[in-house]
Amino acid sequence: MLKKSLMVFLILLMTSSVVTLLTGCQEKTIYQEKIAVDLVSLPFYESTLKYNAEPSTEMQSKLYDYFFNDKEEKEYIIVTNDGKEIGEKIIDVLPESGSDLYPIVEKIKESGYKVLYRDYYYVTTVEDEIIATFNGERELYPNNKYFKFIEDNTGAYKNKDYSTINDYIIKNNIMIFSKTITEERKTNP
């Protein structure tokens, strides 16, 4: 009886191992989700995947450029977090003046879309940004905190504990920038 129980246990263990290998070793984490960014890539707030917390006045200014400048002069685009340009597809009625922008701002904010600078946005993940930071491919503001940042977060980085690193960035008021934004766009469209 003990042999049969042990045999069943081993078969179940082997089966679960094979299933794990076939379905992937681990599930995708929030730090591996695509995010569209421009200029500042971190800190990351989980809510930004579902809601854009950018101040309404800043977004209205960008949208004014988007709707009322000539096509050749437009500097901003409206994108999803995976970088797909959605533009006017999300808008029911095109604005006739700047005062008509508020409903559009609210719709963009509630959908988690981004209004980003056309030439400087790219799609990335928090994981990729943290790896790039540890590889010296990102800049920190304030820049005098880079070595302390690396020193304080090496253990978390080795353990792929991106949550702890992101919390550290938030707690210490650090912003992380891409050094070569236009090059990033070419490699991560």
Side-chain angles (χ1 to χ4, degrees):
M1 176 80 164
L2 183 61
K3 274 186 161 181
K4 286 183 182 181
S5 296
L6 185 58
M7 185 70 97
V8 169
F9 174 75
L10 288 174
I11 290 172
L12 288 173
L13 182 64
M14 289 174 52
T15 304
S16 69
S17 297
V18 170
V19 169
T20 300
L21 286 174
L22 292 176
T23 59
C25 294
Q26 49 185 298
E27 288 186 30
K28 192 176 194 180
T29 69
I30 195 147
Y31 301 104
Q32 295 165 325
E33 294 276 333
K34 289 182 179 183
I35 52 172
V37 298
D38 67 353
L39 303 177
V40 178
S41 60
L42 294 175
F44 167 74
Y45 298 94
E46 185 176 335
S47 61
T48 61
L49 293 174
K50 295 180 175 59
Y51 180 80
N52 183 334
E54 180 179 4
S56 296
T57 54
E58 288 179 33
M59 192 180 297
Q60 279 181 299
S61 176
K62 291 177 181 179
L63 287 174
Y64 188 87
D65 171 73
Y66 180 83
F67 286 108
F68 300 110
N69 280 347
D70 293 333
K71 286 244 184 248
E72 296 80 35
E73 294 179 22
K74 287 184 181 179
E75 295 183 350
Y76 295 96
I77 58 174
I78 303 169
V79 298
T80 61
N81 270 309
D82 63 0
K84 179 181 172 191
E85 188 172 348
I86 55 174
E88 296 168 9
K89 296 174 189 166
I90 63 148
I91 298 157
D92 301 325
V93 178
L94 292 177
E96 294 180 17
S97 70
S99 61
D100 296 337
L101 292 174
Y102 185 76
I104 298 168
V105 167
E106 288 304 304
K107 188 167 187 175
I108 289 171
K109 289 172 81 63
E110 290 170 6
S111 301
Y113 300 139
K114 307 283 190 314
V115 182
L116 301 175
Y117 193 68
R118 177 181 301 282
D119 295 331
Y120 293 101
Y121 89 93
Y122 62 102
V123 177
T124 187
T125 67
V126 173
E127 179 179 50
D128 289 344
E129 291 303 299
I130 290 172
I131 291 168
T133 303
F134 273 82
N135 288 337
E137 299 166 4
R138 297 292 180 268
E139 293 186 26
L140 271 67
Y141 176 83
N143 60 5
N144 62 345
K145 292 189 176 190
Y146 181 77
F147 294 108
K148 176 120 175 80
F149 169 81
I150 297 296
E151 179 184 318
D152 291 350
N153 290 288
T154 298
Y157 178 70
K158 287 179 181 175
N159 293 325
K160 297 183 179 187
D161 185 357
Y162 303 123
S163 175
T164 297
I165 296 169
N166 191 61
D167 289 346
Y168 179 93
I169 292 168
I170 292 169
K171 179 181 174 195
N172 290 283
N173 297 316
I174 295 172
M175 291 186 291
I176 296 183
F177 298 85
S178 175
K179 288 182 179 182
T180 56
I181 293 171
T182 52
E183 290 302 312
E184 285 294 324
R185 254 191 108 207
K186 290 177 187 171
T187 59
N188 295 317

